[in-house]
Amino acid sequence: MTTPLNIAQDAIEKILKTDAAEYQLAYIDDAHFTSRVMDALPLVSTQNSLSPKKRFAIIVGMTSIAALFATTFLSSSNLLIDACMDVATYTITPAVVALSTILIMAIVVSVSASMSNR
Amino acid sequence: MPARSATTNPLTAHAFSDGDLIKRILHKDDRHAFAKLVCRHQSALRASLRKMTGGQIEWADDIAQETFILAWKNIKTFRFEAKFSTWLYRIAFNAWQSEVRKKHEVLWGDDKMPELIERLQPPVEPESHQTGVRYDLERAMASLSVSERAVITQCYYNDLSHDEAAYVLSMPIGTVKTHILKAKEKMRLSLNDYQPELMDHQGVAA
């Protein structure tokens, strides 16, 4: 049913479409805009940055290697348990140092990776 | 809208599609290919931002430049699921939103936003070549909220579908449709206030 409100809404639709059609046909001259953008582009290649998957692989890989070194050279079969017990008793042992190093490394690499991803 | 000439786009017929150029950028780090993309899309993007900023040419061009720089930095995240132009509009909208936040230090969705935006804009004055309808339309657009204006700009002036507008504006499709209805109702009232004979004329013609 055609009501005055419908007619008015159709009129708005028509006005908007007419104005939009004229707007879409018009062209803004480049006037060195492209060269300004190209001059402002960062020099660092987009190809040099690592993908998130590669970053994740590096973080996990480095942490695993550090953990492997720690367990190999500490001659303890229960590095994590020993370290936790030592932390609980406020004793600084090689196990605590190894655990702290692994944790700090993981945090530093994660934070730096997330910052460079921005 | 000032500074827009009614000439045709010289880059309408191009040898390489946007997809071809993006692949060249991704595989060969080809800055020349990116320059072609900028040249091809600058007019539409700058026009869209001029609409969003209420005709502030310098501000709109600054955001357009920022948009292309962000596109270059994040080109690897382009998944070819949307059109490149739609992806650009999304970056541009986010950049514009961030600029507005910076300028006013208010949060998105704040009730004071439309007033603040309007205060930021210079008064729209009719130019000699501008028809009364266009002048009234600009005034009616200025009466809309930020999100309503964004939806109208994307759906009518950028000719995006409701789905695409929802993607660009990061809002549900139902919200897009609601904003369109509300915006058109507000515009109807504004146009009635400014020029009642226009609505009568258009209404009768329709």
Side-chain angles (χ1 to χ4, degrees):
Chain A
M1 193 175 76
T2 309
T3 63
L5 185 64
N6 285 343
I7 291 172
Q9 290 290 10
D10 287 347
I12 291 290
E13 183 78 17
K14 199 173 172 181
I15 292 167
L16 272 172
K17 281 188 175 168
T18 307
D19 193 51
E22 285 176 25
Y23 163 95
Q24 283 156 12
L25 280 176
Y27 175 73
I28 297 179
D29 188 59
D30 187 271
H32 306 295
F33 177 82
T34 300
S35 52
R36 279 203 304 279
V37 170
M38 296 312 291
D39 288 344
L41 283 189
L43 291 173
V44 178
S45 160
T46 53
Q47 302 297 304
N48 292 339
S49 58
L50 292 170
S51 68
K53 278 183 186 173
K54 283 182 184 170
R55 283 203 187 104
F56 182 74
I58 289 171
I59 292 166
V60 172
M62 285 179 72
T63 311
S64 307
I65 290 166
L68 191 69
F69 268 102
T71 47
T72 306
F73 291 108
L74 282 173
S75 69
S76 170
S77 57
N78 293 313
L79 171 74
L80 286 177
I81 296 169
D82 288 351
C84 291
M85 291 293 285
D86 293 342
V87 168
T89 55
Y90 297 103
T91 315
I92 297 176
T93 62
V96 172
V97 174
L99 182 68
S100 309
T101 310
I102 292 166
L103 286 174
I104 290 167
M105 253 185 74
I107 291 166
V108 167
V109 174
S110 303
V111 168
S112 62
S114 68
M115 282 179 78
S116 63
N117 199 23
R118 281 175 194 170
Chain B
M1 188 69 58
R4 294 194 84 195
S5 57
T7 55
T8 51
N9 186 339
L11 289 164
T12 304
H14 10 254
F16 296 102
S17 69
D18 286 354
D20 295 335
L21 293 172
I22 293 166
K23 280 173 192 162
R24 285 183 69 89
I25 297 165
L26 290 173
H27 297 141
K28 298 179 181 175
D29 203 15
D30 188 344
R31 291 170 79 93
H32 185 65
F34 189 74
K36 277 193 172 180
L37 279 177
V38 176
C39 194
R40 188 178 289 174
H41 292 282
Q42 60 85 22
S43 173
L45 188 74
R46 288 162 78 195
S48 171
L49 283 163
R50 286 178 189 188
K51 207 82 190 164
M52 299 285 286
T53 56
Q56 294 192 70
I57 295 174
E58 281 185 15
W59 190 29
D61 282 1
D62 285 348
I63 301 173
Q65 183 170 327
E66 179 65 20
T67 300
F68 282 115
I69 292 170
L70 285 170
W72 167 258
K73 284 180 181 171
N74 296 294
I75 195 88
K76 281 182 146 187
T77 63
F78 182 69
R79 294 280 172 255
F80 296 91
E81 287 158 2
K83 283 189 283 185
F84 180 69
S85 56
T86 311
W87 186 66
L88 269 184
Y89 288 138
R90 185 181 164 98
I91 298 173
F93 176 72
N94 288 334
W96 173 75
Q97 202 175 322
S98 154
E99 281 290 313
V100 170
R101 276 180 186 158
K102 261 190 247 169
K103 283 204 173 194
H104 302 296
E105 297 178 353
V106 289
L107 294 172
W108 176 246
D110 192 314
D111 289 343
K112 290 174 183 169
M113 280 288 273
E115 287 85 342
L116 288 164
I117 293 281
E118 201 162 5
R119 219 183 298 156
L120 186 78
Q121 294 167 0
V124 183
E125 294 298 338
E127 293 178 14
S128 55
H129 66 277
Q130 212 171 14
T131 63
V133 179
R134 178 160 294 169
Y135 173 62
D136 288 345
L137 198 58
E138 290 287 343
R139 294 292 301 266
M141 286 282 281
S143 73
L144 303 180
S145 74
V146 175
S147 36
E148 286 163 357
R149 190 194 306 188
V151 166
I152 291 289
T153 304
Q154 300 302 336
C155 291
Y156 285 88
Y157 293 93
N158 295 346
D159 202 21
L160 300 185
S161 67
H162 290 173
D163 278 336
E164 288 171 324
Y167 165 75
V168 168
L169 304 171
S170 306
M171 57 172 69
I173 192 164
T175 312
V176 169
K177 288 177 181 173
T178 309
H179 280 316
I180 288 177
L181 286 175
K182 280 185 184 171
K184 280 160 81 175
E185 179 56 21
K186 275 189 191 174
M187 291 176 87
R188 186 182 69 80
L189 294 171
S190 298
L191 287 171
N192 257 337
D193 288 345
Y194 291 124
Q195 209 172 350
E197 67 276 13
L198 166 77
M199 297 305 295
D200 294 342
H201 172 73
Q202 295 286 345
V204 171

